[in-house]
Structure formats: C-alpha cells, structure tokens
Amino acid sequence: MGFWLASERTGQQTDFIQRFDPRFWTVNFPRPAMASVVTTAADALRVDAVFYNSDDLAGLIWDTKDTLDHPLLAYETCADYARLSLQFRWRSSGIMALDQINGPTLTIEGRDALGNPKNWYVRLWNYASGTPTDAQINLEFSALDGGFMLPGEAERVYPHDIDRLFISIMPPDYDGIGTRLPAPRNGWVEMSGIKADGGGAVLEIGDVMVPENGLSMASGYDDSFNQTPERLLRSIRSLGYRGAINHYVGMSHYFRLETSGAGLYASLSAPQPGEEFAAINQPCTVWHRDLAVRAKAMDFTIIFSLSYELFDAHCWSAWKQRAENGDPALTGWDPPSTLLSPAQPAAMAYLQAVARAFTAIARDAGTAIKFQVGEPWWWTMPDGRICLYDAAAKAEFGAALVSIADIKGPKTAVQNAMLDQAGAMLAQSTADLMAAVKDEALGAPVETLLLAYLPSILDETAPEAKRANLPVGWASPAFDILQLEDYDWVIAGNHAATQRGIDLTTQRLGYPASAQHYFAGFVLTSDTRFIWANMVDAIAAAQRRGTPETFIWALPQVARDGFTFFHEQEDEMDAFDDVQFPISIGRNAMVSPQFSTDIITTLSGHEKRNSDWADARLQFDAGPGVRSEEELRSLIAFFRARRGAAKAFRFTDPYDHSSNDMAENPDAPPTAMDQIIGTGDGEKASFQLVKTYEAGAQTRLITRPVPSSVLVAVNGMLASNWTLGPLGQIIFDLPPAANSQITAGFLFDVPVRFASDRIDMSASTFLAGDIAEVPLIEVRDAP
C-alpha cells in the first residue's frame, strides 16, 4: 500500500463543468442561525435556513478558488468574470423578499482596477423580472452596478479580479438590532435554471477515479454543513473509498433551539409549521435526507454517529457533567462543547430524540440503518478531575458517593465501587439510546456500533478509569460492532500502545476481530502532515489484525492535505515468501554491490555526477554454490516454488550479514551495542533497525533481521520490553525516555528475487564442470 499528499494535478484526468454548477455552492452564517444547501437538479439548488434573532444572516456563496475539494478533484481558479453572465430563477419563502430594503443582495468581493481590495453590493431586485418571491434574474458582470437605487447610486463592478460571490439571506423582519424573534423563523430559497454564458462559463475540474482502496471514510456534519451532500459523496467515491460512511452528526449544528431568558437552548418543543422533528432543525433535516438518498443510490451506507457532546452555549445547565467543585465538563475547542450526564434523564431523553430523528431519516430513505454511539464517557479534566458530580449523578450514587480528586493513580475499594457504578450508568444510558433507535426503526434491521477512544479510557496513569469509561456493561453482544480509535498513539508512532489497548479491550469486552472496526488517526493541522505516514502504518497493522473495516478520519483533512491512498500494484505480503534460500548453495555466492550514477561530461572535460540511490543495490550469483546434482535439484525446486522472479525471499549475504564489523572479525556474534538505531523522546515507541558503514557515511535499512538474533539496549542496558515488528521495526512497550540512546545487534538477511523467470543449465555441462549462472537481485522493502 502507498499514499500521496497531492498538492495539485500533474496530468491526471480532467473534465469540464459550467461555472456556478449547483454542486459547488456553499452556505455560511454566524450563530445562532443555521442553514444548509442541497442540489435539486443538475441546474438547481435549495437553501434552507432558520433564524432566531432579528439580525441573523445567512449567505449563499460561490468561491472563485476551490479550497474545499481534494486537489485532484478541485475546479480551476479563474478570477476574470468579464464577458460572463449568470441567469437563474429565484423563488423564496420565509425570508426577506427581493424588493425590500435589506432584501437579498449579491456582495462581490475582489479588487478594483488598481488592485485594491474592494466589495460591491448588488441589489438583486435591480436585475430581476417577476415578483419579489418568484423572479428571473440576469447578471451581466461587465455591466453590473452596485448601489441601492440605479442609476443614481450606481457603482460599476470591476469584473476582472473577483474572489467570491455572496448572496445574503435574512429573516423577513430583519432590522439589524439583534432582537430575539418571538419564535424561530424557517425560510428557504430555490435557484433553478442556473446558467452561465460567455467567456469563462466553463471551468476545468479534476475527474480522477482512484481505484477502490479497501478503506471507508469518516466525516461529520459540523465539518461539512456548508457543502452539498452531492459534492461530498463525489469526493469520497472518486478517492477510492467504498462501503460505509461513518457520519458524525456533530454537536453544534444539528439542534433546534428555544429561548429561555436571554439564552437559546437545545429544544424538544413541538415542531413549528415547516419543521419535521422536535430535536433537529429543518436545514439539518433537509441536508441529511439528501445525503441518505444519494448515498443509497451510490451503494454507500451511512453510519449515523451521535456523541454525548453538545455545544456548551446551548446546553441546559442541569444537563452538564460536572467536576466535584461544580465546574462543568468543557472540551478544549473554542468555543467549547460540554458533555451530557448519563445520569440526567432530560439530557438522555434529548439524545434519544435526536437519535430517533436520524434513524427516521435513514428508515424513510430505505437505506440500511446503522447507528453509532460515539465516544460516550465521563469527562476527565486535564488536571485529572473526573466529572461524576452533577446533581443527577450524585443522587444516583447515593451512599456510594465519595471523593475522587484525581482519576490518576491507584484507588481505594470504595472509589473503585463508585467508578463501577458510574460505568453501569453509562452502559445503561447507551442501552436506552440503542433501544430508542430500534424502536424508531419500526422493525427494520438495525446495526448498532460503539466507538471508544482508547488513549483516554486506557490511560496507563489512570488504571481504574476503565471502570467508568469502558464498562463491562458494553461487553459483547451489547453492540454489534466495537469501533476503536487511537490517534494519540498513531501521532506518536506508538504501535505497541495500540496493540496493548486493543488486546485489553478485546479481553475486557469480548468482541472478536471480525466484530471490530478501526479509525486511523487524525491530522488536526496541515503543519503535522507527517502523521499521514503513521496513519498508513496503522492501517496496515489493522489489516494484519483482520479488521474488516478501517475508516479514515476525516474527509476535510483528506481534502486539505491531498491525502491519496492506494494499493500498490503488487501486494507486498503476497510478493515475499519468508523463507531462506538454501544456505549450502548461497554460502559460496558471488556478490556485486551496485549504485546508479548519472555522469555528464561538460565541453571543458569536467564531470558532473549525480547519485540516484542512497544505498547500494546488491546482485548475487548463486551459481558457484551449486556443487552436486542434489543441490541442483534443490535449487530447481526452490525456483519453482518462488514462481521464478515472482516471489522475493531471504538470502544470507556471505560477506555482510551481521550488525558487527565483519571486516575485523567475521565470526564475532552481534552485541546489543553494535548499531545506534535512534534516540528516545518520551513519545516515540518504534525504531527501525539500521546498519551504518564508514562512520555513518552510509546508512542501510535492515528489514529482514533474523528474529532470534536481535538484541536491544537502552543507554547501554540490555532491554526486554520490546517486540520485533514487521520489516525490522523495534517496538517498545513504553516509549524510551527522552535523550536515551537506543542500540541493537542482529543477524540479517537480504530480500532478493531471481533476476529472471528462467534458469539455463543441463546435466551434461554441469557434470563436465561448467558453473551455472543463478543471478539474484536485491529488492527494496518499504518499512
């Protein structure tokens, strides 16, 4: 397997779209307003919005530069809109009409003729024909004027350098003051017959189709609410992902809100006219119905994922988990989210209502119903305080309530009893949630899933935390699938911690590998792109464990960094047989180290030399080792078993097969101090075996060590807390301390293959003393 972080297209397949293609419009808005956009036809889109204040605003946006799609799929950037026209039919309801003072306005962001940043405000009603709620609009960018009254207030748009178009959408009683509306106002806009004409009306767009890569995609509504579902599904399919899409419904965009005092809070009041559900807002409903229907048509299934996390500003005070001193459980996001208490009946009833809404959406779309409870836990503060002390939880604990000032370290028997009770509360809350989902499914089959974040709930400094956050009440068959996530360990390259965590979880909850899914990593910011390589290693490890489904988390980061995952043409595991070339034959082989150097001779006779390879590639001739007919038959049998050059295998280089300096003492056994393989940093747990030559002038990766020969030392002390991973990886149980020196000693083989699919030899020439040629060539492993 391999990956590529693509920054741009370099000859990949392209196609063309009409500029203003409905799939690529977006929406945005300041809180608390909410809006969504979906495509309704090849030339049409719909925006749904909900407003709570008299100064709420939403915008329908066309960006000149595509910053949301994967670089291989993005449309081209063309900022010149001169000689271009845009026509569409506008229909609206529940928003400010076209003819009003603050009616829909097209804001054009760009630069003037001198290159200075400039915005123009184009009143759409000035270019409309029809009624204020149903009109045909025609915009000629080379003859477009900003200003409210034309021609008196006209300000000509400079069309040659435009960054963005923004069409404002406001409540009908917009006043700019910010007064709370008596009730939430729902409205919609439809643009149909969208057509671009003239110069620049057609844009090139990436049209790649990465082969199916065996992975699934994860995404979330909070990250993708501003895009059309059709655009997202196009990306997922084009990048090679298939099967299920794990879709986190989020914590900050799905909810309906109601007024209480000066605040707005998550609502379960009766739906208003035009709304379908009590717990989720109408823009969210429309968007997810479109997602479910389109996903089914493309043979995707959606796993709807709901967590116990909610945007703090809209969460009722009594619902929040709290630390012992009353501090609410707040995450590190800005602005923060909070965690709902599993012991709080109203909070859990709210989650059940949310789950029912999304289940109904899947049911009505006729798609498979799959529902995940995502990372449910009792929150732990950074200083170790566990949030078990909200009023509802304290009442539930009763006489068992004790102080747990810090979850870290050992606990007393009564503290452990309280943690066990907290775990039982958590398990019961998830069981009730899944019961609501199954009830809403109305008899349709339901697949239930649980996502657990192992680095937090299996923190080695808090060995008893698992009592509360990995409760035995989740043991199989409480859920159909256990999904595991470990990105802190992936970031650190701590594969040993991953394996320990999965082993412990499997032992505790009893889900076999066939009933486990894996979430591979998370690259929060673009300046940590190195994590993608760690993620690919983690994916390979998951596949070796037999994990049936592995998810990439998440689509926005994949698009941002251009992550492109693919299986190389030949599966590395299938292309290598872990067997030894017959030693008796190989002992007398001839060896030829080879480099690749480009040499250019200039007119003056000087040479310019460029070495293409960092390490020598070895070639061997094993023919001199064939000394008898028995060895000849052994060689032919081995050649047939490898299918000629198809399969690589182990070969012991008679002149270089040990970590020690064989030039000085060829028979000296390896020692743990032979080779420096790394320096500890307190986080990294995996180190690659290497052998250096000529005081570090050349470093050779050792990917095929002899397992029984490997010795490892930390700061000169022989170590045993490690395992030998694939391709020469030394994986420590715990990361070595910062600045510690890691050394190793080992015997090793060279991965080679037969140089061709044919060996020429005959019995008569062999018996007459001719030496057969048996060329072998080193192959490169990729650790």
Side-chain angles (χ1 to χ4, degrees), residues 125-148:
W125 183 242
N126 289 337
Y127 296 91
S129 59
T131 73
T133 59
D134 187 349
Q136 183 68 30
I137 295 176
N138 184 19
L139 304 172
E140 301 280 349
F141 284 91
S142 290
L144 203 58
D145 289 318
F148 184 79

Side-chain angles (χ1 to χ4, degrees), residues 342 378 418-430 467-468 471-473:
W378 296 96
M418 180 176 165
L419 291 172
D420 286 336
Q421 188 175 347
M425 290 184 207
L426 182 60
Q428 185 61 54
S429 73
T430 58
R467 293 175 179 270
V472 293

Side-chain angles (χ1 to χ4, degrees), residues 33-73:
M34 294 288 159
S36 68
V37 57
V38 300
T39 51
T40 56
D43 62 352
L45 59 80
R46 175 185 171 105
V47 176
D48 284 86
V50 58
F51 306 105
Y52 299 95
N53 297 317
S54 62
D55 62 348
D56 282 349
L57 166 71
L60 178 63
I61 300 165
W62 176 268
D63 281 302
T64 297
K65 182 177 181 179
D66 184 350
T67 61
L68 296 174
D69 283 307
H70 190 284
L72 299 182
L73 298 172

